[in-house]
Amino acid sequence: MKFSGQILKMISDHTKPIRYYLNLSEDLICMNQLFNQELSFQHIGYQCVSCGNDEPVYRMGFCKKCFFKSPYASDTILRPELSTAHLGIEERDLAVEKEIQLVPHIVYLAYTGEVKVGVTRESQIPTRWIDQGATLALPIARTRNRYEAGVIEVEIKKHITDKTQWKKMLQTQEKDIDIISIRDSIKSYLPKDYEQFYSSDEEVWKMEFPYEVPMNIEAFSLNKKSEFTGILKGIKGQYLCFEGGQVINIRGHEGYVINLSVS
Ligand SMILES: [Zn+2]
């Protein structure tokens, strides 16, 4: 079987275990069916996720020009507390910013090798956690917009990391973490005006990945070497894992155009 197209992040179904689809120019390839088969990747070009031009990917699938221009690549994606759409203030494109920011958001705890705090649109549950490779997740606050969630996160990340370390995430499948008592202990970190958003009756979400921790883990990128062949063994987060522990971050390859053959 041969496929060709632009990589977008994998689409997932929250089944047990999670089912993943590689998204190649919107051709969806069910990856769970390809376990124990040999996959060959060949990097043949780029297609920016915004303008579609064959320009090298700068970050997040965008060419350099689009990364600094598109409202979908704004600083508020990584730093929600910088959001200004709730004040009617435009950063790059107010209509898009309103759509992204003025919807219900949650602040959550997730276990990705350690417990981290994060912010996401409510509509991204549980996709956001699957993409991160979180085995457990728990909403801790629900807000009306992105800004409010960002302010809460800023306070909590003084005590708990907001980063996922990919290697730690891939080295563990831990599920016995008392995330509820961590939630209970951080209520006091919320700013006084934001206590109304605290949520104490949420259920813990559990994600089961089609993945076993390999002996060694070594990441490869099609940026460094344009071809790779390996036997697919598992998937966690947005990482495909091959025999011998070689892993590729599919999300980190958004905008790459590849040939993929399966044998
Ligand atoms: Zn572009």
Side-chain angles (χ1 to χ4, degrees), residues 47-56 61-67 69:
Q47 186 183 340
C48 167
V49 296
S50 181
C51 70
N53 288 346
D54 184 5
E55 297 282 338
F62 294 91
C63 72
K64 192 167 184 179
K65 199 177 98 211
C66 292
F67 182 78
K69 208 180 68 183

Side-chain angles (χ1 to χ4, degrees), residues 23-252:
N23 188 350
L24 276 192
S25 294
E26 293 176 15
D27 254 347
L28 300 184
I29 305 156
C30 180
M31 298 307 277
N32 300 53
Q33 291 176 356
L34 302 183
F35 290 142
N36 298 313
Q37 296 194 51
E38 189 177 84
L39 274 54
S40 289
F41 295 84
Q42 187 190 17
H43 175 209
I44 55 171
Y46 298 99
Q47 186 183 340
C48 167
V49 296
S50 181
C51 70
N53 288 346
D54 184 5
E55 297 282 338
V57 165
Y58 181 67
R59 258 179 239 166
M60 292 159 56
F62 294 91
C63 72
K64 192 167 184 179
K65 199 177 98 211
C66 292
F67 182 78
F68 289 105
K69 208 180 68 183
S70 166
Y72 297 100
S74 149
D75 280 346
T76 60
I77 303 294
L78 294 177
R79 297 186 58 196
E81 72 276 16
L82 301 178
S83 300
T84 55
H86 64 292
L87 303 172
I89 297 173
E90 177 175 77
E91 188 204 349
R92 294 179 177 184
D93 180 335
L94 188 57
V96 173
E97 283 146 12
K98 280 185 168 170
E99 228 169 81
I100 296 174
Q101 297 173 21
L102 304 187
V103 291
H105 275 66
I106 62 158
V107 185
Y108 61 85
L109 298 177
Y111 182 77
T112 55
E114 59 191 322
V115 175
K116 61 158 279 175
V117 62
V119 161
T120 190
R121 277 176 281 171
E122 197 175 11
S123 59
Q124 293 302 300
I125 294 176
T127 306
R128 182 80 196 102
W129 302 324
I130 293 171
D131 289 350
Q132 282 174 344
T135 44
L136 299 171
L138 177 65
I140 57 171
R142 290 177 179 269
T143 64
R144 298 164 296 193
N145 60 46
R146 189 164 184 82
Y147 173 76
E148 290 164 346
V151 170
I152 294 172
E153 186 193 36
V154 165
E155 290 307 313
I156 295 175
K157 76 185 186 190
K158 291 174 184 167
H159 310 274
I160 291 175
T161 184
D162 62 328
K163 306 276 189 304
T164 296
Q165 292 187 41
W166 66 271
K167 210 162 190 176
K168 258 190 191 170
M169 181 275 286
L170 289 171
Q171 279 167 339
T172 167
Q173 287 279 66
E174 187 67 62
K175 289 196 184 89
D176 289 332
I177 304 291
D178 188 359
I179 202 165
I180 299 251
S181 66
I182 298 173
R183 188 261 324 270
D184 294 345
S185 70
I186 60 179
K187 187 180 180 186
S188 59
Y189 303 152
L190 262 66
K192 273 275 169 288
D193 294 350
Y194 286 77
E195 278 176 3
Q196 56 176 310
F197 301 119
Y198 179 77
S199 203
S200 62
D201 55 359
E202 305 272 350
E203 282 187 26
V204 178
W205 289 68
K206 294 186 178 170
M207 274 60 69
E208 202 178 292
F209 296 94
Y211 178 78
E212 275 172 42
V213 178
M215 296 286 280
N216 303 297
I217 293 172
E218 190 194 343
F220 71 92
S221 152
L222 295 174
N223 191 23
K224 295 202 176 106
K225 199 163 169 279
S226 64
E227 294 190 17
F228 174 83
T229 297
I231 295 172
L232 184 65
K233 298 306 277 186
I235 310 176
K236 190 178 184 200
Q238 284 283 330
Y239 284 81
L240 299 180
C241 180
F242 294 87
E243 195 168 72
Q246 285 173 300
V247 298
I248 181 171
N249 177 3
I250 291 298
R251 189 164 210 177

